[in-house]
Amino acid sequence: MDVMNSDWISVDRISDDDGYRLAYPCLSDRCESLLAQFPYIPFVLVDEKERLVAGFEFMKYYRDCNEASVPCTRIESAKVNPILLAYHYKERFFGFNPYEQLVFIRKALATLKVSEIYQQCRIDISINDELRENLDLLITRPFREALIGGQLNLK
């Protein structure tokens, strides 16, 4: 398999578990205009096991439209870091709120060094020992709502 190839996949076969999800909340309001602008781009990315890597907003949109199958790009996760791909995809098409940045940092730290995160991503949050010690707490429900709603900011 190449690093990436495209295919149509049944919506029911695509697993959108939390593994690579960076979209909180999952807002699909921009999808229609992006699909109209770029009709030949498959905006859903899946790994070898058909787990959703990026395009959570588009999967929500397709499901809301009752689509049976969707155009997907399959990636080979051994050759492409899925969490980095998910980050750049989300940043490019939808941007990040502070909560989503924290979720990304938590997931990225499982496979990347802090220096690699800074080199490869535009993170404006200081990833220090204090943040790492409190990361699990910061992504719990009370903080999530405040971060998403802009009532709490991080530096």
Side-chain angles (χ1 to χ4, degrees), residues 21-93:
R21 180 185 301 269
L22 300 177
Y24 298 94
C26 193
L27 304 173
S28 59
D29 56 337
R30 292 199 53 221
C31 294
E32 194 168 343
S33 66
L34 285 168
L35 288 166
Q37 264 185 297
F38 307 105
Y40 302 108
I41 295 177
F43 285 101
V44 175
L45 283 68
V46 297
D47 67 9
E48 305 89 344
K49 297 176 183 174
E50 297 182 346
R51 286 179 53 194
L52 190 56
V53 172
F56 286 86
E57 296 89 349
F58 283 94
M59 280 306 299
K60 179 180 180 335
Y61 174 80
Y62 288 133
R63 284 189 172 118
D64 290 348
C65 293
N66 295 314
E67 295 289 340
S69 61
V70 297
C72 297
T73 299
R74 294 178 186 263
I75 65 153
E76 191 172 335
S77 57
K79 295 182 180 179
V80 177
N81 185 321
I83 199 65
L84 279 177
L85 186 59
Y87 169 85
H88 288 291
Y89 176 99
K90 173 92 171 100
E91 179 188 45
R92 173 65 183 102
F93 293 114

Side-chain angles (χ1 to χ4, degrees), residues 93-127:
F93 293 114
F94 296 96
F96 280 93
N97 65 49
Y99 177 77
E100 292 167 330
Q101 284 190 12
L102 289 177
V103 170
F104 166 72
I105 290 167
R106 182 171 184 251
K107 291 178 181 190
L109 286 171
T111 60
L112 299 169
K113 297 175 185 172
V114 172
S115 61
E116 293 173 313
I117 295 171
Y118 283 128
Q119 288 171 352
Q120 299 183 42
C121 305
R122 287 192 277 183
I123 296 293
D124 59 359
I125 296 172
S126 179
I127 307 172

